[in-house]
Amino acid sequence: MKPGSETEISSVTLDLIGMTCANCALRIEKGLKKIPGVTDVRVNFAMETAKVELSEAVSEEILLDKVDSLGYRGLVHQDVLENKEAEKAHEAEFKKLKVRLTFSAVLSLPLLASMIGHFGSNMFSEYFNFLMNPWLQMFLAAPVQFWIGAPFYKGAWRSLKNGGANMDVLVSLGTSAAFFFSLYQSFRSFGVHIHGQLPLYYETSAVLITLILFGKFLEHVAKGKSSKAIQSLAGLQPKTANIIRGDELQEIPLAAVRVGDLLLVKSGETIPVDGSVEEGVSTVDESMLTGESIPVEKKEGSVLFGGSLNRNGVLKLRASKVGKDTLLAGIIRVVREAQGSRAPIQRIADRISGVFVPIVVIAAFVTFLVWFFGIQPGNVAGALEKAIAVLVIACPCALGLATPVSILAGSGRAAAEGILFRTAEALEIAHKVDTIVFDKTGTLTYGKPVLNDFSVLDPAQKFFLLGLAASAEQNSEHPLSKAVVEEAKRLGLSLSIPENFETIPGGGIFASVQGKRILLGTDLLLRDKGVVLDSDLLQLKSEKEKEGNTVVHLSVDGVHSAILSLSDSIKESASAAIERLKSFGMEVYMITGDNSRTAHAVAQKCGIEHVLAEVLPEGKADEIRKLRAEGKIVAMTGDGINDAPALAVADLGISMGTGTDVAMESSDVVVMNGDLSTIPDVLEISRKTVYNIRQNLFWALVYNALGIPIAAFGFLAPWLAGGAMAFSSVSVVLNALRLQKKAISVNERADR
């Protein structure tokens, strides 16, 4: 593609109000996709959101008008920490639901009591005879049907008007058939006032609506519990902050804090924004952000994150990130996006839901015909009862909830563990991974090497040569360079300003120091520059590499003068994490730019058998492609800028939260605490979530596959069908909530 011809893709997230089932979500998707400039739409029924991808400028008003025309209400999603409008709208809807449910239950209970008459004469029937009057029943059932049930009619009309059919259609058809047939019978038999002598179904229509509303009430409560992790994260940020202005301390609203402000955080207070310590010493609990339970010591220069808790001591904080730019806001945003995205496995439910309602209506009509003309010829009441049961039992709510509520619960629990899945697809693909590749520096090791030996040909020149090497390295940001500079400063060596500095990717550096040409780097670099390598230094280099050291050559004015041996400590959790990954049946690789001897020495200490050594930064992505070409499902774990291409190419990119922003943006999963023992948890949470989704889909499908024929054969009364339908949705949500208990916790890892 030529420069300038690439289409910029933007997105808008909408909060949706008024959806009743998965078919509503599909209808909104189809409607929004018809708008010119909209390239993709992903509606999440459980989260009640829509993410709209745009290839050109489309106003938010156009999107909202389209949602309104489909019969729903849309709001533009606000900042993750300030999304009050949608929250208030959902609360208002929930209050209306509770009012409707209360009135519906009060009016339906007498009708439910009248059903005792169906069981013949018994000790209680004489007390309920007055309830069997058809006009009293109509008086009780009519408000339930036409006032409390009005939203079902509205939803059904909007659905049919837009060329679709949803749960509202099934509920409206079933309850209307029961009510109007009963009304017909009431007018037809003025002289009969005993319910037992009339085939009336007023109680069926009223109790069905009540049960459906009760199911929605339970579903709302359960979904609220499944998003508890995100709600608790959003509640971490304090409402105010203490700002230092001159000699005064003022309490101001958090929204008024700006980058550069100096804030005071007292002992026991929550840190308001991201920044660095200017003064003070304390320990800070960051477990709510990273999942790491051990408090972190903070002193001058230490980084602080908004939402973490200052345990003891007083800290002066210089704000560096506020509002939506803080780490806390980023975590919530990533998890919300993951919960709002669609996992590939959900396509199964989407395809079924798209054709399900018309098939059910046909099945109910056929059931009526078979009973009326075949099994019980002429019995309208009996045939209608079976058809109503089919309509009600088949509502596809459970099918629509099966995937999103599991994603909601799984990703929310993972966030509480310090694991951020950026998309639902990442949460699903992780369980398929069979090969995992670790970057060495900063991932398996701490990424803070130290210079532990400096070998020279002329001992009298040792400190002079080290001063030259450190002077040349001052302009480099590489961890090895920093280690050389820090050691020289520790020894009190005087450093000069380098000139003509040049970084040679994958090789080393060149600079002029005190008029001398300094070259630091690999064997290959020195040979390419015409430097003859000293045999004694080469022999010593080989020995150092076998011990796991990284060795750098020093050339001064074209003469091989010294070698620098640097080592990086392996993380304590590396061996245990890799052993656990192997127990999952994983193939574990290590990839590094280090030479083969050093790489194998480090890999052996970690328990890794497969080593990809001497790989240049640009070659890491190629190595990942080779593994994928062999049919492997590959996860790449890294933390540096040079890992970003490999993270993007892998089936699953896992970045350490202690690494660079580029690596985090290129990855699919972020491990906030940088703890290697959390990597197996990424795969385990994925496995449990996908298994939970499959359970939900299986039981939702089995429920409908068995429920429809049972209802059609006359073994299920309509009111029982309504109760079973409501319970199916609630059971799916409750099953998803089990993920919050089953996910691996930090304490469980520590116990291992």
Side-chain angles (χ1 to χ4, degrees), residues 12-15 60-61 64 74-79 83 85-86:
V12 176
T13 300
L14 305 177
D15 291 300
E60 294 170 347
E61 287 73 18
L64 296 176
L75 299 168
V76 177
H77 187 72
Q78 298 172 356
D79 181 74
N83 194 17
E85 188 177 355

Side-chain angles (χ1 to χ4, degrees), residues 411-636:
S411 58
R413 181 57 180 172
E417 302 273 352
I419 300 169
L420 303 185
F421 288 95
R422 298 181 68 86
T423 64
E425 185 175 3
L427 184 55
E428 181 180 341
I429 196 70
H431 88 283
K432 299 179 181 179
V433 170
D434 54 29
T435 303
I436 186 163
V437 181
F438 286 94
D439 168 59
K440 180 178 78 71
T441 305
T443 304
L444 289 172
T445 67
Y446 284 101
K448 296 180 180 178
V450 294
L451 178 65
N452 53 35
D453 192 41
F454 185 69
S455 304
V456 297
L457 292 175
D458 182 1
Q461 295 286 307
K462 182 172 182 176
F463 292 109
F464 173 69
L465 292 175
L466 179 57
L468 291 178
S471 297
E473 295 278 26
Q474 284 181 106
N475 284 5
S476 174
E477 289 298 314
H478 195 283
L480 295 179
S481 301
K482 290 182 178 180
V484 175
V485 174
E486 286 177 8
E487 179 62 15
K489 288 181 178 179
R490 189 186 70 81
L491 293 172
L493 301 181
S494 156
L495 304 184
S496 304
I497 298 175
E499 298 176 347
N500 305 318
F501 180 86
E502 179 186 354
T503 297
I504 303 157
I509 65 153
F510 170 82
S512 297
V513 179
Q514 298 178 19
K516 299 182 181 296
R517 292 179 289 111
I518 307 300
L519 191 63
L520 285 145
T522 63
D523 307 30
L524 182 61
L525 174 64
L526 267 68
R527 289 194 177 102
D528 284 347
K529 298 298 183 181
V531 178
V532 177
L533 300 181
D534 182 83
S535 58
D536 291 337
L537 290 178
L538 281 177
Q539 177 62 35
L540 185 58
K541 169 183 176 288
S542 178
E543 294 172 5
K544 294 291 184 182
E545 287 174 343
K546 288 178 182 178
E547 296 171 2
N549 292 291
T550 298
V551 178
V552 177
H553 296 278
L554 169 65
S555 164
V556 179
D557 289 335
V559 177
H560 190 199
S561 305
I563 59 170
L564 297 83
S565 301
L566 302 101
S567 62
D568 189 3
S569 299
I570 297 171
K571 292 180 179 178
E572 290 85 353
S573 56
S575 297
I578 288 162
E579 189 63 33
R580 191 167 158 222
L581 287 169
K582 287 182 178 179
S583 72
F584 291 170
M586 296 278 162
E587 280 190 80
V588 184
Y589 285 73
M590 185 183 80
I591 190 167
T592 179
D594 270 347
N595 65 80
S596 183
R597 280 191 295 269
T598 300
H600 277 88
V602 173
Q604 186 176 12
K605 291 178 183 177
C606 295
I608 298 176
E609 298 166 357
H610 306 285
V611 179
L612 303 171
E614 300 179 28
V615 180
L616 296 175
E618 61 270 22
K620 289 185 178 181
D622 292 333
E623 293 295 336
I624 298 298
R625 289 190 185 96
K626 289 177 184 177
L627 291 173
R628 292 187 65 190
E630 295 173 12
K632 302 178 189 294
I633 307 297
V634 182
M636 170 69 191

Side-chain angles (χ1 to χ4, degrees), residues 336-398:
R336 282 199 187 280
E337 287 176 358
Q339 292 176 341
S341 61
R342 176 179 288 118
I345 196 172
Q346 191 175 339
R347 294 172 191 152
I348 300 171
D350 289 345
R351 284 196 292 266
I352 295 172
S353 296
V355 298
F356 198 73
V357 174
I359 291 174
V360 171
V361 173
I362 293 171
F365 183 66
V366 171
T367 299
F368 178 85
L369 294 178
V370 169
W371 278 89
F372 183 75
F373 291 106
I375 300 176
Q376 294 179 350
N379 185 352
V380 177
L384 187 63
E385 182 178 292
K386 278 68 174 182
I388 292 171
V390 170
L391 285 171
V392 174
I393 194 70
C395 288
C397 295

Side-chain angles (χ1 to χ4, degrees), residues 194-215:
I194 303 300
H195 188 168
Q197 297 173 332
L198 278 178
L200 300 179
Y201 295 98
Y202 287 121
E203 77 282 352
T204 296
S205 66
V207 171
L208 273 177
I209 289 174
T210 302
L211 286 172
I212 291 168
L213 292 177
F214 183 61

